[in-house]
Amino acid sequence: MNVTSQKSSGLALLPIIVFLVIYLGAGIYFEYINPTHGQKGFYVMSVVVAFFVALIVALLQTRGSSFDEKIRLCARGIGDENIAIMIFIFIAAGCFSGVAQAAGGAESTANMLLTILPGRFALPGLFLIACLISMAMGTSVGTITVLAPIALNVAQSTALSVPLSIATVVGGAMFGDNLSFISDTTIAATKTQGVAMIDKFITNFKIALPAAIGSFAILVIISFRTPMNVDLHYDFNVWQVIPYIVVLIASLCRFNVFGVLCAGVVLFSLVGLATGSLNGMTMLTAFKEGTAGMNETIIVAILVAAIGALIKNNGGFAWIVEKIKTHFNGRRGGSFGIGLLTLFMDIATANNTVAIVMAAPIARDISKEFDIEPRQAASLLDTFSCIGQGIIPYGAQLLIAASIAKISAVAIMPFLFYQFLLFVCVIIAILVQHKPHKATSRA
């Protein structure tokens, strides 16, 4: 449904503000203002509790409806197919990361990587691998699930920071997801704007490549400025690496990410049993611990979907659209409007595909009104959703990366070089954009 037909209310965005004040406010207070020795400030306040309070605020704001009607609204948001797929992937990812760690696969793969790529190049190497795998898989979450355990072990085997190593994988994963032809965000952006995928890819590539090159250069500089012993010998078991190789090849062949993760679970279980790194009890324990580590992430996905449905019903998204149309003029202004609209939608829903689908009808209207090329509109939708999704600490990407590395999602944020550079690059692209070709048309 087009959100412009709904009532408009800026107050409907209050749940988002409440969440940010509670979660980030508590984290900043206990981390920097009143720290406690041995206590990580951003772990004091549970992200689930913060979102639950935001949900209560959203329910209270939904007036004129019975409690049962409010629950039905939440259920429709939670029942979205993107949320269902995400939850299934989270469960498979938990099993995969748990058994890969217990079977020694993550450690062996990291050690092999460090053997092939000396410590000085491990970090930029991780970034390139994440870029390629994510383009092949079409999913940033799947890429992070596969590579985050390796990044964790690389950091632990060198003097590199764990948040930095994890952020490197997240950045590469967002690069690939933004450009992949099979990514759900690409499909949503192109289909809603009526453009060919190759046209959107070319437009996106011109923006994403400079950001990727800049990120790679920063990682190289950091690697060379970090003191580490590059002559260390790292032991690894080739058999324990094979499941990862199979998973990566399957990803490159564009197999379904859920099926790839399930196959990886089976392979790591068999290899672990064969090499003696696992037995029946430790294998089942690895499954339990891996899926348990995803519990918070799954609950957050459910709560965000419910809150997003209530905010939409209460006119929060319509208010954003109304303000953008009121305050922006011309092609550059219209482009900024599409970008900000998508960014706000992503911050509100914590789901880049949902953000694109919700913003797309308005983006199409804005692009027609301000003479913006359809491929540019599609590129803006995908790029700004990528920026938002790759930075927010309550998005699936940072949550799953943080859960695997057992660190705070907020701790990863300062090292998201690719996302920050991508934001700069897309702003520059908007400012220097040329007049669209007359031949450009919509499907």
Side-chain angles (χ1 to χ4, degrees):
M1 181 171 63
N2 191 324
V3 295
T4 55
S5 63
Q6 297 181 334
K7 58 185 178 182
S8 170
S9 172
L11 190 61
L13 300 174
L14 181 61
I16 301 174
I17 299 172
V18 168
F19 165 76
L20 293 174
V21 169
I22 293 176
Y23 182 64
L24 295 182
I28 292 171
Y29 178 78
F30 290 111
E31 182 74 21
Y32 302 109
I33 300 175
N34 187 23
T36 301
H37 180 70
Q39 175 69 59
K40 296 181 179 179
F42 283 97
Y43 278 96
V44 175
M45 169 57 69
S46 166
V47 66
V48 172
V49 173
F51 265 123
F52 186 67
V53 174
L55 175 63
I56 293 174
V57 173
L59 288 170
L60 292 174
Q61 282 189 303
T62 310
R63 300 177 180 178
S65 301
S66 68
F67 183 74
D68 289 341
E69 290 172 337
K70 296 176 184 179
I71 295 302
R72 279 192 287 272
L73 274 173
C74 293
R76 283 197 289 272
I78 297 169
D80 184 271
E81 63 178 286
N82 291 300
I83 302 300
I85 292 171
M86 188 187 306
I87 291 173
F88 294 153
I89 290 176
F90 284 160
I91 296 172
C95 287
F96 179 86
S97 61
V99 73
Q101 193 76 25
E107 183 178 358
S108 286
T109 306
N111 288 348
M112 188 180 77
L113 174 65
L114 290 172
T115 300
I116 297 173
L117 295 171
R120 296 291 184 197
F121 297 96
L123 200 60
L126 274 173
F127 179 74
L128 289 178
I129 292 171
C131 290
L132 295 174
I133 295 304
S134 186
M135 284 190 68
M137 293 179 75
T139 166
S140 52
V141 172
T143 302
I144 292 167
T145 301
V146 172
L147 294 181
I150 300 176
L152 176 61
N153 279 275
V154 167
Q156 293 173 341
S157 301
T158 63
L160 293 170
S161 158
V162 171
L164 170 61
S165 298
I166 296 297
T168 298
V169 169
V170 174
M174 297 312 297
F175 171 86
D177 190 21
N178 185 215
L179 293 175
S180 175
F181 279 76
I182 60 172
S183 168
D184 50 359
T185 58
T186 294
I187 294 170
T190 54
K191 295 301 181 184
T192 57
Q193 301 307 302
V195 297
M197 288 190 181
I198 186 63
D199 291 335
K200 178 260 182 188
F201 173 85
I202 294 173
T203 304
N204 253 31
F205 189 72
K206 293 176 181 178
I207 300 171
L209 183 60
I213 293 173
S215 302
F216 184 83
I218 292 173
L219 293 173
V220 170
I221 293 171
I222 291 175
S223 296
F224 275 90
R225 295 185 64 179
T226 302
M228 65 178 71
N229 188 346
V230 296
D231 298 321
L232 289 175
H233 175 70
Y234 300 100
D235 295 322
F236 61 90
N237 186 319
V238 175
W239 287 104
Q240 293 173 344
V241 177
I242 288 177
Y244 261 123
I245 295 175
V246 172
V247 167
L248 296 182
I249 291 175
S251 302
L252 291 170
C253 294
R254 300 182 179 181
F255 287 106
N256 178 272
V257 60
F258 182 74
V260 169
L261 290 174
C262 289
V265 170
V266 173
L267 286 174
F268 267 122
S269 299
L270 293 175
V271 168
L273 293 172
T275 59
S277 58
L278 289 177
N279 56 41
M281 180 177 291
T282 56
M283 180 179 68
L284 293 178
T285 300
F287 291 154
K288 182 185 74 173
E289 292 177 351
T291 52
M294 293 296 166
N295 287 345
E296 184 175 78
T297 305
I298 292 172
I299 294 172
V300 167
I302 293 172
L303 289 173
V304 168
I307 293 170
L310 292 171
I311 290 175
K312 179 181 179 181
N313 177 78
N314 295 336
F317 297 153
W319 182 85
I320 294 173
V321 170
E322 180 182 284
K323 294 304 176 185
I324 287 175
K325 281 194 169 184
T326 302
H327 293 90
F328 290 94
N329 295 295
R331 281 190 297 114
R332 291 187 179 89
S335 297
F336 278 118
I338 292 173
L340 290 176
L341 168 65
T342 309
L343 192 59
F344 288 150
M345 292 294 188
D346 191 85
I347 291 172
T349 62
N351 185 302
N352 45 354
T353 304
V354 173
I356 289 173
V357 171
M358 297 182 72
I362 309 305
R364 191 178 178 108
D365 291 343
I366 292 175
S367 62
K368 286 180 178 178
E369 184 174 345
F370 297 115
D371 199 24
I372 300 170
E373 288 184 286
R375 62 179 180 179
Q376 172 114 2
S379 174
L380 291 170
L381 284 168
D382 206 346
T383 301
F384 275 92
S385 69
C386 168
I387 293 168
Q389 192 67 21
I391 291 178
I392 54 175
Y394 51 91
Q397 286 73 7
L398 263 64
L399 284 176
I400 198 170
S403 64
I404 291 173
K406 294 180 172 56
I407 59 176
S408 165
V410 177
I412 302 173
M413 294 175 65
F415 303 102
L416 298 171
F417 306 128
Y418 172 72
Q419 288 88 317
F420 297 138
L421 288 175
L422 182 63
F423 182 73
V424 173
C425 289
V426 73
I427 294 300
I428 294 174
I430 290 174
L431 293 175
V432 302
Q433 63 178 299
H434 301 291
K435 188 175 181 179
H437 301 295
K438 295 297 183 182
T440 302
S441 62
R442 296 181 183 272

